[in-house]
């Protein structure tokens, strides 16, 4: 429909987390130069539908920015999915990260 066409031709797309899972197929068909995730602490569960939709967009973008004002208090593992999305060559294994930063 027209919504899919709009995403495909738009220079800027602002998509709330509440819709990104539903739109993931359409969003993944386009290459993005920059992806900005506000409130990126919502990506802490790498198995969530939201993370499953957003992390590939972050990885595929030329530039990716994660923003949050929420501190990760004594639970560094909650940062893993964000860090892995930004630097997949550095943060390659969840288990290794968990053991190192527990």
């Amino acid at each position: 429909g027209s919504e899919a066409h709009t995403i495909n031709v738009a220079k800027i797309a602002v998509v709330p987390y509440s819709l990104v899972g539903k739109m993931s197929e359409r969003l993944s068909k386009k290459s993005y130069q920059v992806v900005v995730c506000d409130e990126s602490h919502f990506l802490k569960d790498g198995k969530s539908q939201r993370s499953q939709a957003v992390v590939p967009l972050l990885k595929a973008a030329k530039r990716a920015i994660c923003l949050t004002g929420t501190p990760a208090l004594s639970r560094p593992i909650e940062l893993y999915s964000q860090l892995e999305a930004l630097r997949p060559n550095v943060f390659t294994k969840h288990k290794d990260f968990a053991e190192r930063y527990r």
Side-chain angles (χ1 to χ4, degrees):
S2 64
E3 183 180 297
H5 175 72
T6 302
I7 288 290
N8 290 335
V9 298
K11 290 190 181 231
I12 297 172
V14 177
V15 181
Y17 284 130
S18 61
L19 293 179
V20 77
K22 296 172 189 166
M23 297 178 67
S24 64
E25 187 176 325
R26 284 178 264 170
L27 293 169
S28 66
K29 289 181 181 178
K30 182 173 171 125
S31 296
Y32 296 95
Q33 293 291 310
V34 179
V35 173
V36 178
C37 291
D38 191 20
E39 303 296 339
S40 62
H41 59 277
F42 287 130
L43 303 176
K44 69 182 177 181
D45 179 4
K47 295 177 183 174
S48 71
Q49 182 181 12
R50 175 184 301 148
S51 294
Q52 296 284 321
V54 173
V55 168
L57 298 174
L58 288 166
K59 287 181 174 180
K62 185 174 181 179
R63 302 269 191 267
I65 302 166
C66 288
L67 305 169
T68 186
T70 302
L73 301 173
S74 71
R75 302 244 10 227
I77 197 65
E78 292 181 356
L79 295 172
Y80 179 78
S81 60
Q82 295 171 68
L83 295 170
E84 191 262 340
L86 296 173
R87 300 295 302 266
N89 296 334
V90 175
F91 300 100
T92 57
K93 295 181 181 165
H94 185 271
K95 181 182 176 203
D96 292 345
F97 184 88
E99 288 176 6
R100 182 173 184 176
Y101 297 105
R102 56 181 151 156

